[in-house]
Amino acid sequence: MKMLSLAIALSTVLSATLGANTAQANPARDAIVAAFAAQAKAENPSFAGFSAAAGNTLFNSTHSGGKPDTPSCTSCHGTTPFATGETRAGKVIEPMAVSKNPGRYTDTEKVDKWFFRNCRSVLGRECTAQEKGDYLTYMISQ
Amino acid sequence: MPDTEIKDHKVKVWDLPTRIFHWSLVALVMIGLITGFLSPEWWMGVHLWAGYGTVLLVIFRLVWGIFGSEYSRLETFTFTPREVIAHIREVFFLRPTHYIGHNPAGALMIFALIFILVGITLSGLLVLGGEENQGPLAGAANYQVGDLAAGIHSTLTVILMALIVFHVFGVFTEIRLSGENLIKSMIDGYKRVPDSIKPPTHRDARPLAAITAMTGFAMISGSLLWAFSTMPPSGLLKMTENEDFQTECGDCHEVYHPSLLPRASWTSMMASLDDHFGEDASLPPKTAIAITAYLSAHAAEEWDTEAANRFRNVSPEAPIQISATPYWVRKHNEVDADIFKRKGVGGKSHCKSCHQDAASGRFDDQNIKIPKE
């Protein structure tokens, strides 16, 4: 827990100092985020952009409603966006932060597939476009 | 000195090749028995070499039985049933006639041992080819033949062990009755023979003829086996890799070989990916259909490997889990639970950590290597 709060503090400080413009530009990834934004707007007329802080919360919190073995995104992904994680079956998962792993979130099908699976495993439901966009914004800022 | 004492003299009975044959056979049969019964299966390589060595020794002994020196020749210890019965009766009354070479009971034992050893090695080759898809008969023998041969192989082995006990018992009986140390004779080659017995005229060995015959025999049987071994192993499908399967089913764990579960298990697994071992592993319908078709076409029913034959029988409680099948549980019974917890292993489902050939679906005994930590 100490590690986790430290990591959260650290990442908040980092994103605060560097600001959101450190976003690593990549046309494919930008298109994915844009598509979620359009979808979010359609779902919710008062949509006011994505929030890295909300993405941080989604990633790091413990949820209920999903499958008992996977209460959090960090159950499989590392405890920080920069750490490697491990699937329940023991395979290494490379870090989720874009700065650490520039190939992340560049394939629509892959992103859709994993959001579909992982949100249902962790939250017991599909994520909203808002949540997906928040998560991506957070990881892009990292 | 009382004149009842029997005077005797030393006679060279067993020539060097026969003695070497005898003790090498003892060693190889011991190795074969130990590696077959006691050792873990990854000693199978040693077991196989003991088997091949035994075949060579037996072939040699038969050749030497024709071209060896006097007492090594089969004809000198081929007795009629009547002679054998007479001899046994004499032993029973503790007054056996003295034989310089093998006595009739011993000779019978030698033929029985050789006969059984031929049966054991041949059935062993069939098990190897049929069940394990290895060795020269991998193409000629299917799993059923191998399974049948496995039964014969172990029955003959039990008979062999009984014969060995009888053989040793017979040797000690004769030592007691004749006072002749037969074990020493089989080491230095000499026996003490009473002066009253006149040895037959000694025929020398014909090593050149023996070598020629041995080479000829080895070449004929070798090329026969080689011809068999050029047949492709039976029951292994030529499988083109399916990209969807390799990537989608390799995301969270190693890619399991399609031959490790029957069709019904794969179909039901693919229909319930939203709850796959406590996790959501859903796929877009198009991909799921393609992978289901691929798995069905290459399921356990389509293969004739040992693993595929065995894993067709799944656990009723967990029909989609390979590591819950009765065969899997039985085979890994002796693997300590702590071993599966080692970092280098990672759990029961990590077949690849211990089975270096897991990706091919073969699971050969020789390719098991347990990570040390």
Side-chain angles (χ1 to χ4, degrees):
Chain A
M1 228 40 235
K2 216 157 151 203
M3 269 289 284
L4 196 69
S5 38
L6 196 77
I8 295 172
L10 202 75
S11 47
T12 326
V13 171
L14 262 175
S15 47
T17 42
L18 298 177
N21 357 341
T22 47
Q24 336 257 326
N26 173 303
R29 187 160 46 232
D30 293 347
I32 292 175
V33 178
F36 283 135
Q39 204 186 330
K41 210 169 283 166
E43 281 170 7
N44 173 11
S46 59
F47 170 70
F50 294 129
S51 145
N56 181 339
T57 311
L58 173 73
F59 183 73
N60 283 302
S61 326
T62 302
H63 305 266
S64 56
K67 298 200 157 67
D69 291 320
T70 52
S72 166
C73 305
T74 56
S75 305
C76 299
H77 299 295
T79 44
T80 76
F82 308 104
T84 52
E86 199 178 86
T87 66
R88 283 177 51 244
K91 196 173 161 175
V92 169
I93 308 179
E94 295 304 326
M96 299 308 273
V98 169
S99 64
K100 190 89 183 177
N101 195 348
R104 283 279 179 224
Y105 322 115
T106 51
D107 174 347
T108 317
E109 275 181 31
K110 178 172 178 183
V111 170
D112 285 344
K113 180 180 79 184
W114 285 105
F115 268 134
F116 182 80
R117 286 175 173 172
N118 294 346
C119 289
R120 285 170 26 129
S121 283
V122 175
L123 308 170
R125 61 168 173 82
E126 286 188 49
C127 288
T128 61
Q130 173 87 49
E131 285 167 324
K132 295 179 197 172
D134 289 344
Y135 169 89
L136 290 181
T137 308
Y138 170 58
M139 287 301 171
I140 291 169
S141 75
Q142 295 297 302
Chain B
M1 213 179 262
D3 53 16
T4 48
E5 177 164 350
I6 301 162
K7 295 228 178 68
D8 54 21
H9 58 283
K10 274 171 90 173
V11 175
K12 174 81 175 280
V13 181
W14 310 126
D15 54 28
L16 185 65
T18 297
R19 285 177 279 146
I20 293 179
F21 157 79
H22 178 269
W23 295 113
S24 321
L25 189 65
V26 170
L28 285 186
V29 168
M30 282 301 147
I31 293 173
L33 286 175
I34 292 169
T35 50
F37 276 108
L38 301 178
S39 310
E41 292 203 16
W42 57 95
W43 274 84
M44 209 34 120
V46 179
H47 187 76
L48 298 185
W49 284 114
Y52 286 124
T54 304
V55 173
L56 281 180
L57 282 180
V58 167
I59 294 176
F60 162 78
R61 186 61 187 90
L62 295 176
V63 169
W64 201 242
I66 299 170
F67 301 110
S69 70
E70 185 67 27
Y71 301 101
S72 295
R73 299 193 181 193
L74 300 182
E75 61 178 270
T76 65
F77 55 89
T78 309
F79 298 96
T80 62
R82 184 171 303 185
E83 286 170 306
V84 175
I85 292 168
H87 175 75
I88 290 173
R89 184 177 308 137
E90 288 168 9
V91 171
F92 197 71
F93 291 112
L94 305 180
R95 315 194 60 129
T97 315
H98 198 289
Y99 289 87
I100 302 177
H102 292 299
N103 68 39
L108 194 63
M109 176 59 74
I110 289 161
F111 286 117
L113 283 170
I114 285 187
F115 186 74
I116 294 287
L117 283 174
V118 168
I120 288 180
T121 45
L122 277 183
S123 59
L125 273 182
L126 283 172
V127 181
L128 185 70
E131 284 199 344
E132 312 285 338
N133 260 317
Q134 294 178 35
L137 302 184
N142 66 18
Y143 184 81
Q144 250 179 337
V145 168
D147 208 33
L148 195 75
I152 297 175
H153 193 64
S154 38
T155 312
L156 290 181
T157 307
V158 173
I159 298 177
L160 174 71
M161 289 193 297
L163 287 182
I164 292 174
V165 170
F166 269 120
H167 174 59
V168 172
F169 175 77
V171 168
F172 280 102
T173 308
E174 193 176 331
I175 291 177
R176 292 225 36 185
L177 292 184
S178 70
E180 175 80 59
N181 188 343
L182 293 185
I183 298 169
K184 189 165 156 289
S185 313
M186 199 39 98
I187 294 170
D188 65 15
Y190 286 96
K191 269 187 169 182
R192 304 202 72 84
V193 176
D195 286 347
S196 55
I197 291 186
K198 208 172 154 349
T201 38
H202 190 86
R203 283 170 292 180
D204 283 334
R206 294 169 56 204
L208 213 66
I211 290 171
T212 316
M214 185 75 199
T215 317
F217 209 102
M219 265 163 64
I220 292 171
S221 51
S223 46
L224 213 68
L225 287 181
W226 180 81
F228 274 122
S229 73
T230 55
M231 296 168 67
S234 61
L236 294 179
L237 295 189
K238 274 219 178 59
M239 192 171 64
T240 45
E241 289 206 341
N242 180 293
E243 212 192 306
D244 281 340
F245 175 62
Q246 296 289 329
T247 54
E248 299 298 348
C249 301
D251 271 335
C252 300
H253 47 63
E254 66 185 68
V255 179
Y256 297 107
H257 196 266
S259 71
L260 301 182
L261 281 176
R263 192 168 291 120
S265 297
W266 287 129
T267 318
S268 100
M269 176 184 298
M270 293 305 294
S272 58
L273 283 179
D274 56 336
D275 191 3
H276 178 76
F277 296 90
E279 208 163 298
D280 194 308
S282 313
L283 282 169
K286 211 179 90 204
T287 322
I289 289 169
I291 294 178
T292 311
Y294 176 75
L295 285 170
S296 297
H298 302 96
E301 290 91 334
E302 303 295 324
W303 300 74
D304 195 36
T305 57
E306 182 172 30
N309 271 281
R310 305 292 197 147
F311 289 140
R312 279 177 215 163
N313 182 18
V314 297
S315 147
E317 291 84 37
I320 63 168
Q321 192 177 342
I322 305 160
S323 58
T325 57
Y327 178 68
W328 195 97
V329 173
R330 185 153 47 80
K331 275 288 166 184
H332 299 82
N333 214 356
E334 279 169 28
V335 183
D336 213 57
D338 284 342
I339 293 181
F340 286 109
K341 291 197 198 109
R342 286 184 189 163
K343 228 174 139 33
V345 177
K348 290 181 181 181
S349 58
H350 292 214
C351 320
K352 231 168 45 181
S353 308
C354 303
H355 295 279
Q356 296 171 306
D357 59 349
S360 70
R362 294 186 54 126
F363 291 86
D364 287 343
D365 294 309
Q366 298 93 323
N367 286 318
I368 301 174
K369 218 184 215 157
I370 299 182
K372 287 276 175 287
E373 50 191 275

